[in-house]
Amino acid sequence: MKRVVLAISAVLLLVVACGGSKPIRDWVNISHSQMETFKRDALTGRTSTGGIYYGKAIEEIKKSGNVDLLAKAYLIRMAIQVSLLEDPNEEDFLKVDAVESVAENKSYYYFLTGRFDRVDEKALPATYRPLQNALRNGDSSAEIAKLLEKIDDSLSRLIGAGIVVRRGNADEATLLAALGVASEQGWKAAVILYLGQLQSYYERTGQTAKAAATRARLSLIE
Amino acid sequence: MPLKTEHKVGLFIIVTVLLVVAGLFFMAYKKGLFHKEYTYQLSSKTGEGLTLGMPVIFAGFKIGNVTDLELTEQGFVLVKFDVPSEHVRWLKADSRFILEKPLLGSPRINVRTENMGSPPLLATDRPEVTEVNDINETIKRFQPIIDKANQILENVEQITANLADPNGEVRGILRNAQKITGNFTDKKSALEIAVGDPQSIQAIYDSLRKLKDITARAEEILRKADAIAGKTDESVYGPEGLLSEISAILKDLLAKMKRLDVTLENVNKITTEASDAAKDLKVLRSDFDAGIRAIGDLANEIDKKIPFKKEPEIKLP
């Protein structure tokens, strides 16, 4: 019995010891959490508070003097803007890029802004590579919608959809994919946006019944 | 030879009677019935307040009784009192005898002996009884309070006189109040009147919004902690584990939130009582910032306490 107790205590001690490993640095923890809150707020439509959190995240990153991370933070804002079909704010990123250019960041920047021929695919996050390839080759919208569905991460899928829609060759499947992921995550701003896109797509293609149904759905949640 | 029943009964009765008598004697002895008593004399200018049987007290203990009061030929009152032999030692030639008339309770003669080495009091000595009257003392003590009350009344009178005076200070205050209420019609909000600066108001509203978000964030972290609590883990459940630590932090958070709640209420009041809150507004503003920062820090602390958490990394989405 004593041995069992001893063994259990030893294991527990080990577990506790593991838990108390290296403490997380404050600026890392705060910048990350503020950035996550910014993303969530922007996507759910709480723009005023989103701005505050974004500012705080940038402030924390600046504490470290890490230029690469600063560039990534600016790119994240651009990506969120693209996913919400807005014109991305490029200035800040370009300023940082002029000081220190990182291939990964630059490729992502070109991808977000739709300059697919300038993207270095090897430097682009792996999840976007098939989509980037298809967009550069000018594949059919059905093909592109299929590739979008294959992107696992919800935000990445929405960003991909945003890029496709902004390029102007989005079909119903692409819009539904974006709407699906936004609705699943509760990103209200994106839900409203893509419902609006879907409605105008139906109107453009003469599907009045579907357009009316989408408009009704939109009016319920707006 | 065994005793007869009659003898037994007789013996029982005799022993019982003896025991009862012995008991009675013992009680009488203890009560001082067999002690020798000494009679002493005191003189007093008046017999007022003196009664037969009045107790004589030394150091809070009763050491004797007044047994006789006489008006002498010389016109003073002779007070005689008996003291049992064991208490005689407390009475010295220089002892002082004070007639006390307390506010509550019956009057008594208090003996004060400062020097125990003095020669004993003689039966022929006639020290004088002095008087202490609690009622008079009390009135004396109240006198300054009554004086103060009079002063206050005078001040009140001055203020009311000031009110009547058209150039008085009170009228001036009223005129200022009128100016403030006049401001209501010119400016956007009561808060603006108090601060006098639209930007500060925006900052206050921003702070309020921030507070709401931080609370939401704390809730989210708690949910995370709940999920971890599902695992049977000493680092979670133990007395020094995560949960107890979190609960301590939360208690702190709750206390701080309550303080902020009060502050929020003050903001509500500002919109109705602009003039009143003007002086508190700077304090209010820093209170907000401090409170919000404290909650933010706490949320961050809780986040860090979650075990096995990897260091987060900002990645391209």
Side-chain angles (χ1 to χ4, degrees), chain B residues 8-18:
Chain B
K8 280 183 185 168
V9 171
L11 201 65
F12 174 75
I13 290 171
I14 290 166
V15 168
T16 309
V17 169
L18 277 177

PDB file of all heavy atoms in Angstrom, chain B residues 8-18:
ATOM      1  N   LYS B   8     -29.843   3.270  68.452  1.00  0.00           N
ATOM      2  CA  LYS B   8     -29.399   3.769  67.142  1.00  0.00           C
ATOM      3  C   LYS B   8     -30.097   5.069  66.791  1.00  0.00           C
ATOM      4  O   LYS B   8     -29.487   6.048  66.363  1.00  0.00           O
ATOM      5  CB  LYS B   8     -29.711   2.733  66.044  1.00  0.00           C
ATOM      6  CG  LYS B   8     -28.709   1.610  65.973  1.00  0.00           C
ATOM      7  CD  LYS B   8     -29.074   0.701  64.806  1.00  0.00           C
ATOM      8  CE  LYS B   8     -28.171  -0.519  64.776  1.00  0.00           C
ATOM      9  NZ  LYS B   8     -28.675  -1.513  63.851  1.00  0.00           N
ATOM     10  N   VAL B   9     -31.445   5.083  67.019  1.00  0.00           N
ATOM     11  CA  VAL B   9     -32.227   6.276  66.692  1.00  0.00           C
ATOM     12  C   VAL B   9     -31.751   7.458  67.539  1.00  0.00           C
ATOM     13  O   VAL B   9     -31.519   8.553  67.037  1.00  0.00           O
ATOM     14  CB  VAL B   9     -33.741   6.013  66.914  1.00  0.00           C
ATOM     15  CG1 VAL B   9     -34.538   7.315  66.789  1.00  0.00           C
ATOM     16  CG2 VAL B   9     -34.250   4.998  65.920  1.00  0.00           C
ATOM     17  N   GLY B  10     -31.545   7.174  68.888  1.00  0.00           N
ATOM     18  CA  GLY B  10     -31.085   8.230  69.790  1.00  0.00           C
ATOM     19  C   GLY B  10     -29.766   8.807  69.332  1.00  0.00           C
ATOM     20  O   GLY B  10     -29.586  10.031  69.233  1.00  0.00           O
ATOM     21  N   LEU B  11     -28.825   7.931  68.995  1.00  0.00           N
ATOM     22  CA  LEU B  11     -27.503   8.365  68.533  1.00  0.00           C
ATOM     23  C   LEU B  11     -27.615   9.235  67.283  1.00  0.00           C
ATOM     24  O   LEU B  11     -26.966  10.287  67.147  1.00  0.00           O
ATOM     25  CB  LEU B  11     -26.654   7.122  68.233  1.00  0.00           C
ATOM     26  CG  LEU B  11     -25.149   7.353  68.229  1.00  0.00           C
ATOM     27  CD1 LEU B  11     -24.660   7.750  69.608  1.00  0.00           C
ATOM     28  CD2 LEU B  11     -24.433   6.110  67.736  1.00  0.00           C
ATOM     29  N   PHE B  12     -28.480   8.824  66.352  1.00  0.00           N
ATOM     30  CA  PHE B  12     -28.672   9.558  65.086  1.00  0.00           C
ATOM     31  C   PHE B  12     -29.158  10.984  65.344  1.00  0.00           C
ATOM     32  O   PHE B  12     -28.638  11.951  64.791  1.00  0.00           O
ATOM     33  CB  PHE B  12     -29.670   8.786  64.199  1.00  0.00           C
ATOM     34  CG  PHE B  12     -30.036   9.536  62.941  1.00  0.00           C
ATOM     35  CD1 PHE B  12     -29.125   9.620  61.886  1.00  0.00           C
ATOM     36  CD2 PHE B  12     -31.253  10.186  62.824  1.00  0.00           C
ATOM     37  CE1 PHE B  12     -29.465  10.317  60.748  1.00  0.00           C
ATOM     38  CE2 PHE B  12     -31.586  10.880  61.694  1.00  0.00           C
ATOM     39  CZ  PHE B  12     -30.684  10.950  60.640  1.00  0.00           C
ATOM     40  N   ILE B  13     -30.187  11.057  66.291  1.00  0.00           N
ATOM     41  CA  ILE B  13     -30.760  12.378  66.588  1.00  0.00           C
ATOM     42  C   ILE B  13     -29.707  13.284  67.217  1.00  0.00           C
ATOM     43  O   ILE B  13     -29.537  14.439  66.827  1.00  0.00           O
ATOM     44  CB  ILE B  13     -31.993  12.242  67.502  1.00  0.00           C
ATOM     45  CG1 ILE B  13     -33.137  11.600  66.706  1.00  0.00           C
ATOM     46  CG2 ILE B  13     -32.453  13.612  68.054  1.00  0.00           C
ATOM     47  CD1 ILE B  13     -34.339  11.204  67.546  1.00  0.00           C
ATOM     48  N   ILE B  14     -28.934  12.736  68.168  1.00  0.00           N
ATOM     49  CA  ILE B  14     -27.913  13.549  68.862  1.00  0.00           C
ATOM     50  C   ILE B  14     -26.872  14.062  67.865  1.00  0.00           C
ATOM     51  O   ILE B  14     -26.537  15.246  67.832  1.00  0.00           O
ATOM     52  CB  ILE B  14     -27.235  12.721  69.984  1.00  0.00           C
ATOM     53  CG1 ILE B  14     -28.238  12.503  71.123  1.00  0.00           C
ATOM     54  CG2 ILE B  14     -25.977  13.432  70.515  1.00  0.00           C
ATOM     55  CD1 ILE B  14     -27.816  11.449  72.118  1.00  0.00           C
ATOM     56  N   VAL B  15     -26.384  13.166  66.989  1.00  0.00           N
ATOM     57  CA  VAL B  15     -25.357  13.561  66.008  1.00  0.00           C
ATOM     58  C   VAL B  15     -25.901  14.649  65.096  1.00  0.00           C
ATOM     59  O   VAL B  15     -25.230  15.640  64.813  1.00  0.00           O
ATOM     60  CB  VAL B  15     -24.894  12.336  65.198  1.00  0.00           C
ATOM     61  CG1 VAL B  15     -24.053  12.763  63.996  1.00  0.00           C
ATOM     62  CG2 VAL B  15     -24.091  11.392  66.082  1.00  0.00           C
ATOM     63  N   THR B  16     -27.168  14.464  64.652  1.00  0.00           N
ATOM     64  CA  THR B  16     -27.777  15.444  63.746  1.00  0.00           C
ATOM     65  C   THR B  16     -27.855  16.802  64.415  1.00  0.00           C
ATOM     66  O   THR B  16     -27.459  17.817  63.822  1.00  0.00           O
ATOM     67  CB  THR B  16     -29.196  14.991  63.342  1.00  0.00           C
ATOM     68  OG1 THR B  16     -29.128  13.658  62.889  1.00  0.00           O
ATOM     69  CG2 THR B  16     -29.758  15.875  62.233  1.00  0.00           C
ATOM     70  N   VAL B  17     -28.366  16.837  65.653  1.00  0.00           N
ATOM     71  CA  VAL B  17     -28.513  18.116  66.364  1.00  0.00           C
ATOM     72  C   VAL B  17     -27.157  18.775  66.533  1.00  0.00           C
ATOM     73  O   VAL B  17     -26.986  19.972  66.276  1.00  0.00           O
ATOM     74  CB  VAL B  17     -29.189  17.898  67.740  1.00  0.00           C
ATOM     75  CG1 VAL B  17     -29.087  19.164  68.594  1.00  0.00           C
ATOM     76  CG2 VAL B  17     -30.644  17.500  67.546  1.00  0.00           C
ATOM     77  N   LEU B  18     -26.141  17.973  66.902  1.00  0.00           N
ATOM     78  CA  LEU B  18     -24.798  18.523  67.080  1.00  0.00           C
ATOM     79  C   LEU B  18     -24.289  19.150  65.792  1.00  0.00           C
ATOM     80  O   LEU B  18     -23.703  20.237  65.786  1.00  0.00           O
ATOM     81  CB  LEU B  18     -23.836  17.409  67.540  1.00  0.00           C
ATOM     82  CG  LEU B  18     -23.853  17.123  69.050  1.00  0.00           C
ATOM     83  CD1 LEU B  18     -22.923  15.943  69.380  1.00  0.00           C
ATOM     84  CD2 LEU B  18     -23.403  18.358  69.853  1.00  0.00           C
TER      85      LEU B  18
END
